[in-house]
Amino acid sequence: MPPDIFKLREMYRTLNKSCFILGASGETGKVLLQEVLKSRLFSKVTLIGRRKLTFESAMYEDVIQELVDFEKLDDHASAFQGHDVGFCCLGTTRGKAGVEGFIRVDHDYVLKSAQLSKAGGCTHFLLQSSKGADAKSSMLYPKIKGQVEAAIEELNFYRYSIFRPGVLMCDREESRPMEWMARKVLAPIAYMFPTAISIPVTVVAKAMLNNVVLPSEKKAELFHNKDVHELGHLGETKEK
């Protein structure tokens, strides 16, 4: 029998937990923020980023925004203090930032943020990684993703959850031609085999949120694309 996700959410709300989100301006982070606010699981929600985000809906009025310089994160250690849960959806691409920029964002910024949040009292760190992440890969993207996964695990969070989604199905505001082409090519495959190689960002966001309330005996958890699909769809029948 699947867990009663609704009862677990109700119980979690009584715990008065707080969270932060890194990468809330990205496609997954944006949806994750919406799901976090709709769920009312947290008494305080903080966004940590380099620029202030603007919102029109009243739903966002209590969201706290901490502006940081990712090149000088030690100077902003206070932004990472006092959060129970940390969601990390921070990332860029080699095409957008170049090789050095990609490594700096997806490895250095992410790892430093994890270190500061651990020091600041965060007990559950959730990382959006990528399908195929492998620290020993000869390819840059999966190698960096795998390396940062491993480095964060060494920080020994009370609970650490890694999500490796496949190709993210969304309509990005920024231009990523290769991703756009991949989504067009994969759309028919995704329809026939929905958990094989792609996943909607909404499902990733819901999976991360569901993971927070689900009890686990493991200190480190790894969710592959199919696992993320299953976790993200928990409770959908009752919601409909």
Side-chain angles (χ1 to χ4, degrees):
M1 178 181 294
D4 189 335
I5 197 71
F6 301 98
K7 182 175 290 186
L8 290 171
R9 290 173 187 170
E10 289 177 5
M11 293 173 58
Y12 195 89
R13 291 187 187 105
T14 67
L15 301 178
N16 196 36
K17 298 284 189 177
S18 62
C19 77
F20 71 81
I21 300 175
L22 283 163
S25 62
E27 297 304 323
T28 305
K30 189 186 309 178
V31 177
L32 175 62
L33 174 58
Q34 294 172 356
E35 293 297 326
V36 164
L37 295 177
K38 287 191 297 183
S39 72
R40 296 178 288 107
L41 288 179
F42 300 98
S43 59
K44 185 174 75 171
V45 178
T46 301
L47 308 184
I48 301 176
R50 61 183 178 84
R51 61 184 175 86
K52 187 173 183 178
L53 304 181
T54 57
F55 305 104
E56 295 181 358
S57 172
M59 178 174 68
Y60 298 91
E61 61 185 7
D62 292 327
V63 173
I64 299 169
Q65 297 199 50
E66 293 280 1
L67 304 187
V68 302
D69 180 348
F70 282 100
E71 293 294 327
K72 302 176 181 178
L73 275 180
D74 281 322
D75 295 342
H76 304 279
S78 60
F80 294 88
Q81 293 178 355
H83 309 288
D84 299 294
V85 177
F87 296 99
C88 184
C89 302
L90 193 64
T92 186
T93 64
R94 178 176 176 174
K96 182 179 179 181
V99 173
E100 291 184 1
F102 166 68
I103 296 174
R104 194 159 62 247
V105 173
D106 284 58
H107 183 279
D108 300 349
Y109 292 177
V110 170
L111 178 56
K112 188 62 180 179
S113 296
Q115 291 170 339
L116 291 173
S117 65
K118 176 66 161 53
C122 177
T123 56
H124 188 182
F125 192 83
L126 298 93
L127 174 69
Q128 179 189 2
S129 184
S130 178
K131 183 180 177 70
D134 181 357
K136 297 180 180 180
S137 175
S138 60
M139 299 176 66
L140 180 67
Y141 188 85
K143 180 178 181 179
I144 294 302
K145 291 293 189 182
Q147 287 179 345
V148 78
E149 285 182 2
I152 293 175
E153 185 169 1
E154 292 180 2
L155 298 179
N156 197 32
F157 278 94
Y158 180 79
R159 187 175 177 186
Y160 173 40
S161 305
I162 304 168
F163 297 79
R164 290 184 181 174
V167 176
L168 298 174
M169 305 300 283
C170 62
D171 294 319
R172 289 189 184 274
E173 291 182 359
E174 66 181 52
S175 176
R176 292 189 181 182
M178 293 304 294
E179 281 194 8
W180 179 87
M181 185 176 297
R183 287 195 298 272
K184 293 299 181 183
V185 172
L186 293 174
I189 301 176
Y191 179 78
M192 296 295 294
F193 307 99
T195 66
I197 53 179
S198 64
I199 189 168
V201 291
T202 52
V203 177
V204 178
K206 289 180 179 180
M208 296 179 82
L209 197 56
N210 285 340
N211 174 249
V212 169
V213 304
L214 286 170
S216 175
E217 297 180 354
K218 298 180 180 179
K219 288 184 67 67
E221 309 164 288
L222 175 60
F223 299 96
H224 293 284
N225 196 57
K226 184 177 180 180
D227 305 319
V228 181
H229 269 279
E230 294 175 354
L231 189 55
H233 288 297
L234 276 180
E236 277 197 352
T237 303
K238 185 173 179 180
E239 287 180 333
K240 292 177 181 179

